[in-house]
Amino acid sequence: MTEKEANEIVRSIELSEELAERLTKTARTYGASTSEAAEYLVRWALDRMEARPAIAEDRGQRASAKNDPRLDWWRNAKFGMFIHWGLYAVPAGTWKGERIRGIGEWIMLRARIPVAEYEQFAKEFNPVKFDAAEWVSLAKRAGQKYLTITAKHHDGFCLFDSKVTDYDMVDATPFGRDVLKELSEECQKQGIRLCFYYSQTQDWHHPDGNGNNWDYDPAEQDFAKYVEEYVKPQVTELLTNYGPIGLIWFDTPKTMTEEQSVSLMELVHELQPDCLVSGRVGNQMGDYASAGDNRIPAEAIDLDWETPATINDTWGFKTYDHNWKSTEEMIQKLVDIVSKGGNYLLNVGPTAEGVIPQPSVDRLLGMGAWLDVNGEAIYSTKPGPIQGVSWCRSTAKPGKVYMHIFDWPTGGKIVVPAMDQAVTGAYLLQDADVVLAVEEQDDAVVLTGPVEAPDAIATVVVLNV
Ligand code: FHN
């Protein structure tokens, strides 16, 4: 890396003056150039980031939830829709003519937009194309069994009619409709579990919420009061006014004390005993563990866990994020996650008009088409006995092992990796009439299937065991 490139990186990561100065000074002390110091630091930071476990300890599963049958619907569901929607869809990544780096829903923090200015977006938030029936039907057609929407994200704006604030969809926007009410009715009609994301710690709008140090002085903030007098009343509204809720997806626990995590978890369970709480309530108090964003553990984990993930690089809509993952990549991620015992919560970021971007729709429908054929090998399964093999993943149900083959072997000869159960027969899930010959060869079970891959993305071979 040249000095110029290093300086560019340093500039693009917008180091504060103080940090830039320290970097230059420290580099000098060690007789290094700024570029050498920057390279060393970036390498060190990346190594540390990559070494972080996919599931952070404090976002793990509460021990008492592990065999709790309240989770059964969620364990069987495997695939959910995440929706990040709020005022940030109005600027959609651009503030005062400047493209603001990072994820779209963080624009208020990244650009340090003052509360009084950010609030003005509410006047422009008029999603006349919003259609709850269409969104829910998309989730259904994608094969997603639950839908988790941002009731309140870190910017503090509420998508529901809250009596605790006027900073909400009904009171502050020209649209004036309670979109969560409409979604709850549709979800009940179409048989999808409705779940709410709720940012319990970061709230850049509320004077006592966490994270806004450009409008408020953190030393003056009373976070405990915020939890008692704002978060809890709002969680109560969400669990009282919208029918049965599948789960509350708390996020970024940060300063939550164990006592606060416990009290939120208990409040949810008191109000709706069957409602689950995400691992990001903090302090290992979740009903299930929450993996880092877009992180997939390397191995199967004996916990209930979920990976929240983006289709492009942002959660909230940005006009210029076109880095869409392919349908193939996401089907394989779904398979990978399910084979390791997890759920895949895949995000869409609708526009300020209320439209889910077409590239997301196309990919979700592609996934739904694959699941229409192969859903038996995904829903209600457990991790299969074949693990740690690059070309295939496995899931299982009593009497059956499903091999999800990503790379179809040459000539259609499939050597089944060693497993305890004996294979008594094999066929393609997409066409049970295609039976694969099963032979024992040198202590291995070898199947003979079609020469060409029957499904280029993932062919499911069912083993009777
Ligand atoms: O800060 C949020 C982010 O905006 C987004 O909501 C994701 C979704 O998992 N959660 C937080 C970062 O991990």
Side-chain angles (χ1 to χ4, degrees), residues 140-203:
K140 277 206 89 155
R141 287 178 293 155
Q144 296 168 314
K145 305 293 184 193
Y146 56 109
L147 184 155
T148 305
I149 181 161
T150 47
K152 173 173 88 74
H153 202 267
H154 309 332
D155 66 356
F157 180 76
C158 305
L159 280 185
F160 61 106
D161 187 13
S162 175
K163 298 294 167 237
V164 192
T165 180
D166 280 345
Y167 195 44
D168 68 44
M169 198 71 177
V170 173
D171 298 313
T173 74
F175 196 54
R177 278 157 52 186
D178 185 335
V179 293
L180 297 195
K181 188 112 285 137
E182 295 180 28
L183 280 167
S184 90
E185 283 159 16
E186 264 315 313
C187 282
Q188 286 184 30
K189 217 190 266 172
Q190 299 194 40
I192 287 247
R193 297 251 183 181
L194 178 65
C195 310
F196 292 141
Y197 171 108
Y198 186 89
S199 176
Q200 81 279 23
T201 307
Q202 297 196 74
D203 188 327

Side-chain angles (χ1 to χ4, degrees), residues 101-304:
R101 75 201 158 82
I103 41 186
E105 71 284 3
W106 274 66
I107 191 166
M108 182 177 176
L109 182 136
R110 292 262 186 265
R112 302 288 189 277
I113 304 177
V115 164
E117 283 185 71
Y118 191 87
E119 278 177 343
Q120 302 307 313
F121 291 136
K123 297 190 182 138
E124 292 171 60
F125 196 25
N126 192 20
V128 288
K129 296 192 179 153
F130 167 72
D131 180 349
E134 217 174 88
W135 287 15
V136 176
S137 142
L138 175 64
K140 277 206 89 155
R141 287 178 293 155
Q144 296 168 314
K145 305 293 184 193
Y146 56 109
L147 184 155
T148 305
I149 181 161
T150 47
K152 173 173 88 74
H153 202 267
H154 309 332
D155 66 356
F157 180 76
C158 305
L159 280 185
F160 61 106
D161 187 13
S162 175
K163 298 294 167 237
V164 192
T165 180
D166 280 345
Y167 195 44
D168 68 44
M169 198 71 177
V170 173
D171 298 313
T173 74
F175 196 54
R177 278 157 52 186
D178 185 335
V179 293
L180 297 195
K181 188 112 285 137
E182 295 180 28
L183 280 167
S184 90
E185 283 159 16
E186 264 315 313
C187 282
Q188 286 184 30
K189 217 190 266 172
Q190 299 194 40
I192 287 247
R193 297 251 183 181
L194 178 65
C195 310
F196 292 141
Y197 171 108
Y198 186 89
S199 176
Q200 81 279 23
T201 307
Q202 297 196 74
D203 188 327
W204 307 324
H205 181 264
H206 195 288
D208 288 317
N210 176 291
N212 181 342
N213 60 4
W214 57 99
D215 283 286
Y216 309 121
D217 175 0
E220 308 259 290
Q221 291 184 303
D222 187 344
F223 182 67
K225 180 168 172 232
Y226 169 73
V227 171
E228 290 307 315
E229 295 180 12
Y230 196 76
V231 172
K232 288 187 178 173
Q234 287 209 319
V235 168
T236 304
E237 291 181 320
L238 289 170
L239 290 172
T240 310
N241 301 335
Y242 300 91
I245 299 305
L247 59 92
I248 301 282
W249 215 96
F250 292 112
D251 198 5
T252 59
K254 290 168 97 75
T255 54
M256 292 283 287
T257 62
E258 182 167 338
E259 210 187 353
Q260 284 167 336
S261 300
V262 170
S263 73
L264 269 191
M265 177 266 286
E266 285 179 351
L267 174 69
V268 170
H269 292 164
E270 262 166 41
L271 292 166
Q272 289 202 20
D274 288 335
C275 183
L276 308 178
V277 169
S278 77
R280 296 192 188 189
V281 72
N283 298 295
Q284 276 200 345
M285 284 303 144
D287 282 305
Y288 62 88
S290 184
D293 296 347
N294 291 301
R295 295 287 306 269
I296 304 179
E299 296 163 358
I301 300 187
D302 187 20
L303 280 182
D304 297 298

Side-chain angles (χ1 to χ4, degrees), residues 44-95:
W44 176 83
L46 287 177
D47 285 349
R48 279 189 53 149
M49 276 167 83
E50 283 158 14
R52 273 181 322 167
I55 302 179
E57 212 180 332
D58 73 318
R59 294 163 178 211
Q61 184 176 31
R62 199 177 65 252
S64 61
K66 211 168 153 210
N67 296 309
D68 192 335
R70 289 184 314 121
L71 275 85
D72 282 349
W73 71 266
W74 184 87
R75 290 186 183 113
N76 293 336
K78 306 296 183 197
F79 189 27
M81 174 180 275
F82 214 174
I83 304 180
H84 275 68
W85 199 40
L87 289 190
Y88 38 80
V90 175
T94 303
W95 171 242

Side-chain angles (χ1 to χ4, degrees), residues 1-2 6 23 33-45:
M1 200 189 322
T2 64
L23 177 69
S33 64
T34 314
S35 70
E36 281 164 340
E39 181 157 350
Y40 171 83
L41 287 174
V42 169
R43 193 180 300 283
W44 176 83

